[in-house]
Amino acid sequence: MTTSQAHVVHAGAAEVVGLPGGGAFTLLTDASATGGALGANRLTLGPGRDGARPHHHALSTELFYVLDGALEFLLGEEAVTVATGGLVVVPPGLVHAFGAAPGTGAELLSVLTPGVERFGYFRQLARIQHGSASFGSLLPEQERYDVHFADAAAWTSPRSSR
């Protein structure tokens, strides 16, 4: 893509990667298709399902727009619930995590800018959630995907106590 070209992804053209519990990643666009400007995906989560464990991005800002349902976010040390129509922008370096609120599913649009080639990351996450790969398989890939994992205790404790 150049500055004089638009990038269009038609409905039904994006790859859909299924997740347990009725969830899915819809891989809309990766950095290579946008000249590195951004990457975008849509995520559907079943009721109370985790979307991402605590992590930060060293290079990119991440935007989340809640299309439906409600999401719980960990933003640094703060827990915030954001419902349909809400927006969250996470700057580089801020540890964050998110998941569907208890008793509700959620759909969100996620945009990472500048873009990083991350479709492989989402495919691997699906394999991990389906039990065909271990979480440890992502650890050597943290730099490649600009996803740097953090201590999960601040996230798992409140969610698992319900």
Side-chain angles (χ1 to χ4, degrees), residues 73-102:
F73 284 89
L74 176 68
L75 303 168
E77 303 280 325
E78 183 181 3
V80 178
T81 300
V82 181
T84 302
L87 177 78
V88 175
V89 178
V90 180
L94 182 66
V95 172
H96 58 288
F98 62 91

Side-chain angles (χ1 to χ4, degrees), residues 55-61 91-94 96 142-143 145-148:
H55 67 283
H56 77 275
H57 307 289
L59 306 172
S60 299
T61 296
L94 182 66
H96 58 288
Q142 293 180 86
E143 291 293 328
Y145 295 127
D146 190 26
V147 177
H148 306 274

Side-chain angles (χ1 to χ4, degrees), residues 54-127:
H55 67 283
H56 77 275
H57 307 289
L59 306 172
S60 299
T61 296
E62 192 164 20
L63 175 146
F64 299 94
Y65 180 74
V66 182
L67 299 164
D68 192 31
L71 286 162
E72 292 181 327
F73 284 89
L74 176 68
L75 303 168
E77 303 280 325
E78 183 181 3
V80 178
T81 300
V82 181
T84 302
L87 177 78
V88 175
V89 178
V90 180
L94 182 66
V95 172
H96 58 288
F98 62 91
T104 184
E107 288 198 50
L108 64 120
L109 175 68
S110 173
V111 178
L112 195 73
T113 183
V116 174
E117 291 294 309
R118 293 181 73 212
F119 282 4
Y121 170 77
F122 296 120
R123 292 179 190 114
Q124 187 66 5
L125 280 178
R127 287 190 283 275

